[in-house]
Amino acid sequence: MRKRMLKSAVLSMGALALLSVPAKAQQIIRVDGSSTVYPLTEGVAEEFQKAKRGAVKVTVGISGTGGGFKKFCRGETDISNASRPILAREMEECRRNGVQYIELPVAYDGLAVVVNPRNNWATCMTVDQLKEVWKPESQGKRMMWSDLDPNWPRQEIKLCGPGSDSGTFDYFTEAIVGKAKSSRGDYLASEDDNVLVQFAQRERGALCYFGLAYVEENKGKVKAIQIRNPKTGQCVAPTYQTVQNGTYQPLSRPLFIYVNAKAVQERPEVREFVEFYLKNAGKIARQVGYIALPDRAYKMAEERFNKRVLGTVFGGEPEVGLTIDELLKREAKQ
Amino acid sequence: MTLSIGVKKSIDIALYLFLMLMGAVSIFITFAIVWVLLVDTVRFFTHPEGGGFPTSLIRFFTETQWTPTFYYKQIGIWPLVNGTFIIAFISMLISIPLGIVVAIYLSEYASWKVRETVKPWLDFLEAVPTVVYGYFALLFVTPILSKLLAPFGIYVEGMNALSPGIVIGIMILPYTASMIEDAFKGVPQYLREASYSLGASKLRTALFVVLPAAKSGVLSAYLLGFSRAIGETMVVAVAAGMYPQITANPLEPVQTITGYIVQVALGDLPFGSFEYLSIFAAGFMLFGITLILNSIAVYLKSKTVGY
């Protein structure tokens, strides 16, 4: 009996050892960062691995934009997914460790403001109205829809949105309240977008915000409302088209990948992967619920990559309402 | 094959050293964890954004809001401690009575056969991943609560302290029940027999003889259960909301220390920033609380069975 157990143990160990030895040495590209960008990078990585027939392995982590930059600036990853530009602190960290990077926009993400489907009064809202609700001074106040517009009913506004640690929160507060991270805290917060969708579906007075991709997935369960573009005064509905042509402002943002410049120089597989990424990002963005950049933007990004333009065009500050053309024309700084 | 005495001795010594080293590793890891916590906690309290030391430490214990991730930063830890304790108390309200009942049944009433079938199922409850419990609380318990309380005109928030509290209570039940049962098992058989011979019923024996005799074991089981409820992470991260506030109303959303740590650790905040470091200060607070509780539990357990 003992002998038999020993035998099977040895055999299974041997089998494990065989399984864990790859057929030939694989090249590994390490990617980490934002969970928002993850589906896109993962989609590209799958296609790339198929194209390479398994000679290159791409691992994509989801440590969040901040956690991703932490690893990236220590030189542990080759590429970092980011749902916001790199910030001053992180630039400093990269500089200290001598990590240089190329900043590339890869797709758009739109934020949608949604209400309950039975909400038949709110069709278009202004940035000022949203600010009135979400600003930190409103903390603890029970607000009615009629407070925002006298024609609307006396129905209590029930707020929900992503947690205060997410890039989405940063972007929304920056765009609506005018200061990143400046928001009231007494709303239903969850990192799980499905929880937010459920809430908006249940509460008649719900007013929530989250990624446009989830609105598309949950058509009929929630109602996305139009936002009045502060520059043109037009009410614009959040759709892939309006995000792409830059009319849905200020709630659409570009998503980035940051590529380690040294890895590009020294490792052909990283260079190939990034080129593959820029060629296929548009197609895959549509598949995973994001919005592709205009074709010319991918061309400009490719040029930027081929010229190895180092640094960021944002100077370590978050910005709102940039069109992709403005962004790609700018000078980058380290 | 026989070995000489000398060889046997040296094997003995080598094994002894090896095992001692293994034991030392676990202690060393514990110290390393505390060290990491301590270093970043110090960095948090000396960070200029919090006002530096000692201002930040005073703010930590005097402010009533916890908003380090917002633009207007307040760093009063009490809302998180409040959320942590509310949920832990609710879970204890569930697991204290149930734990005793289950343990009495298993150790005094159940036949050997029943016990052998029931115990694995209890252990199975422990094996369920906590994130599953979290979604169970959010998608199953919360809607039921709001349906039950709606006729009384009570509105239950979509995220609240009650639902994860109940679920954690169920979750730690096998843990507390089996520890209490162990304490009951330690009560000598002759005490029970003496009680029976005086004409006491089974229930009377269990409640008035066995339970008092196993008192310290039961108390320490509860304290350890309480520690577990305080340290529980995924359930509260999913179902309790993310709104740190000081409230005694279990129907409102709260945030626990662990919930906050998960939120920030998985978020998009830059590493090493004041916001990021705040999780270490919160974690250190949690460490302090559980250390005190566990010390009391260990002390109680060390007391022998007595009256």
Side-chain angles (χ1 to χ4, degrees):
Chain A
M1 177 73 209
R2 280 271 296 275
K3 237 188 175 140
R4 211 172 64 215
M5 272 175 66
L6 201 73
K7 208 163 156 182
S8 65
V10 168
L11 275 177
S12 58
M13 272 178 162
L16 270 179
L18 275 178
L19 280 177
S20 59
V21 173
K24 58 178 193 294
Q26 255 188 333
Q27 295 156 322
I28 296 182
I29 300 174
R30 286 179 185 80
V31 189
D32 202 336
S34 164
S35 53
T36 308
V37 189
Y38 168 81
L40 178 63
T41 305
E42 181 63 28
V44 175
E46 276 168 25
E47 297 273 319
F48 182 70
Q49 287 173 119
K50 250 189 259 163
K52 289 301 246 180
R53 298 215 173 76
V56 182
K57 192 163 176 256
V58 185
T59 60
V60 189
I62 38 172
S63 307
T65 303
F69 276 130
K70 172 180 124 193
K71 291 181 181 170
F72 182 75
C73 289
R74 283 203 304 237
E76 291 167 17
T77 56
D78 307 312
I79 296 172
S80 212
N81 290 329
S83 61
R84 56 159 172 79
I86 191 167
L87 297 178
R89 275 201 70 90
E90 291 153 347
M91 290 164 72
E92 212 176 297
E93 183 77 17
C94 273
R95 247 199 314 272
R96 214 181 355 213
N97 297 330
V99 172
Q100 294 182 308
Y101 47 85
I102 305 163
E103 175 183 69
L104 300 167
V106 288
Y108 276 118
D109 179 23
L111 292 186
V113 175
V114 302
V115 294
N116 184 281
R118 284 170 296 167
N119 176 331
N120 51 8
W121 56 88
T123 47
C124 177
M125 287 179 85
T126 63
V127 171
D128 286 339
Q129 282 175 324
L130 289 170
K131 182 177 176 175
E132 189 56 37
V133 181
W134 285 99
K135 67 183 188 201
E137 295 79 29
S138 303
Q139 171 102 11
K141 253 198 265 178
R142 286 188 58 199
M143 292 178 80
M144 301 289 164
W145 281 93
S146 52
D147 296 343
L148 299 178
D149 186 331
N151 301 325
W152 291 346
R154 273 189 63 75
Q155 170 91 30
E156 192 182 342
I157 300 178
K158 293 270 180 192
L159 297 171
C160 81
S164 57
D165 54 286
S166 69
T168 315
F169 170 84
D170 289 359
Y171 195 80
F172 183 83
T173 46
E174 171 88 19
I176 296 297
V177 184
K179 227 185 209 111
K181 295 184 189 301
S182 178
S183 162
R184 67 192 295 174
D186 54 346
Y187 62 96
L188 176 124
S190 175
E191 288 318 316
D192 184 342
D193 290 298
N194 297 313
V195 171
L196 302 179
V197 168
Q198 272 208 324
F199 178 87
Q201 219 183 333
R202 201 175 52 231
E203 299 284 348
R204 189 144 190 255
L207 176 68
C208 303
Y209 67 92
F210 44 79
L212 187 52
Y214 282 90
V215 179
E216 292 289 323
E217 269 173 46
N218 294 284
K219 272 214 155 78
K221 291 185 190 168
V222 292
K223 174 180 142 191
I225 51 178
Q226 301 173 346
I227 304 292
R228 189 182 295 263
N229 183 326
K231 284 186 187 132
T232 61
Q234 299 283 327
C235 279
V236 184
T239 64
Y240 289 177
Q241 201 190 345
T242 54
V243 169
Q244 198 174 50
N245 65 20
T247 53
Y248 182 68
Q249 292 288 1
L251 291 179
S252 58
R253 60 174 175 175
L255 302 173
F256 301 92
I257 55 171
Y258 285 73
V259 188
N260 184 317
K262 202 163 123 210
V264 174
Q265 292 295 26
E266 292 171 5
R267 295 167 49 199
E269 71 269 17
V270 174
R271 183 176 52 83
E272 266 176 69
F273 177 66
V274 175
E275 282 166 2
F276 186 88
Y277 201 128
L278 293 174
K279 282 213 168 53
N280 294 281
K283 184 182 75 190
I284 291 167
R286 277 185 286 273
Q287 288 169 6
V288 295
Y290 293 132
I291 299 112
L293 304 176
D295 287 340
R296 63 176 187 286
Y298 285 119
K299 289 261 183 321
M300 285 162 90
E302 265 175 58
E303 266 170 46
R304 177 174 279 231
F305 180 66
N306 293 336
K307 285 193 198 136
R308 307 273 185 271
V309 179
L310 298 174
T312 171
V313 296
F314 290 93
E317 295 293 329
E319 278 186 68
V320 169
L322 267 185
T323 65
I324 197 78
D325 292 324
E326 287 169 5
L327 192 151
L328 284 159
K329 282 191 187 106
R330 284 203 192 171
E331 287 295 308
K333 9 182 202 306
Q334 285 277 355
Chain B
M1 165 168 141
T2 49
L3 296 169
S4 67
I5 297 286
V7 174
K8 277 188 176 171
K9 251 214 162 85
S10 52
I11 287 177
D12 244 9
I13 290 170
L15 261 180
Y16 169 78
L17 284 176
F18 173 73
L19 291 174
M20 200 171 88
L21 189 73
M22 288 296 115
V25 162
S26 65
I27 292 173
F28 171 75
I29 288 174
T30 310
F31 274 104
I33 289 172
V34 175
W35 175 248
V36 167
L37 256 184
L38 194 65
V39 166
D40 278 331
T41 306
V42 168
R43 279 175 67 198
F44 173 79
F45 283 119
T46 51
H47 202 285
E49 274 187 69
F53 188 81
T55 319
S56 58
L57 196 62
I58 294 165
R59 286 179 65 193
F60 194 69
F61 288 112
T62 54
E63 285 181 351
T64 56
Q65 294 255 327
W66 176 261
T67 56
T69 53
F70 285 70
Y71 182 76
Y72 298 105
K73 291 180 176 23
Q74 294 218 295
I75 50 167
I77 190 70
W78 299 116
L80 288 181
V81 173
N82 174 74
T84 305
F85 273 91
I86 268 197
I87 287 181
F89 276 131
I90 295 170
S91 69
M92 289 325 274
L93 283 181
I94 303 273
S95 74
I96 284 180
L98 280 179
I100 280 269
V101 170
V102 171
I104 286 180
Y105 173 75
L106 279 182
S107 92
E108 308 297 310
Y109 280 80
S111 64
W112 178 85
K113 207 173 161 182
V114 170
R115 191 179 315 153
E116 290 313 298
T117 31
V118 169
K119 270 216 128 176
W121 280 102
L122 269 183
D123 292 337
F124 175 72
L125 266 186
E126 276 215 50
V128 177
T130 53
V131 68
V132 174
Y133 278 113
Y135 280 97
F136 175 71
L138 180 71
L139 304 176
F140 187 77
V141 178
T142 302
I144 285 180
L145 284 177
S146 59
K147 274 206 181 65
L148 282 179
L149 295 173
F152 304 104
I154 300 170
Y155 174 78
V156 181
E157 297 272 359
M159 301 265 192
N160 56 67
L162 186 57
S163 152
I166 291 171
V167 169
I168 292 173
I170 295 166
M171 199 176 92
I172 60 177
L173 179 64
Y175 180 74
T176 43
S178 68
M179 282 206 348
I180 295 170
E181 198 218 353
D182 287 345
F184 283 178
K185 275 219 185 84
V187 176
Q189 199 56 30
Y190 62 79
L191 283 179
R192 290 190 187 87
E193 281 157 6
S195 170
Y196 293 146
S197 65
L198 289 171
S201 64
K202 244 190 169 154
L203 183 65
R204 204 180 166 80
T205 306
L207 288 179
F208 296 93
V209 176
V210 180
L211 186 57
K215 192 173 54 195
S216 63
V218 172
L219 275 177
S220 82
Y222 283 150
L223 274 171
L224 288 175
F226 193 64
S227 275
R228 267 197 65 164
I230 281 179
E232 172 44 47
T233 307
M234 273 339 273
V235 177
V236 289
V238 170
M242 294 186 184
Y243 181 40
Q245 59 166 338
I246 298 181
T247 174
N249 180 358
L251 298 177
E252 289 193 356
V254 294
Q255 185 163 44
T256 66
I257 295 179
T258 51
Y260 176 77
I261 292 173
V262 166
Q263 184 198 342
V264 171
L266 293 178
D268 293 338
L269 296 168
F271 169 76
S273 61
F274 181 69
E275 296 91 333
Y276 186 86
L277 289 173
S278 67
I279 64 177
F280 291 96
F284 203 78
M285 187 82 189
L286 184 69
F287 171 74
I289 293 169
T290 43
L291 184 70
I292 291 166
L293 286 171
N294 286 351
S295 311
I296 297 172
V298 168
Y299 168 74
L300 284 174
K301 209 168 178 166
S302 68
K303 290 169 90 172
T304 45
V305 175
Y307 301 97

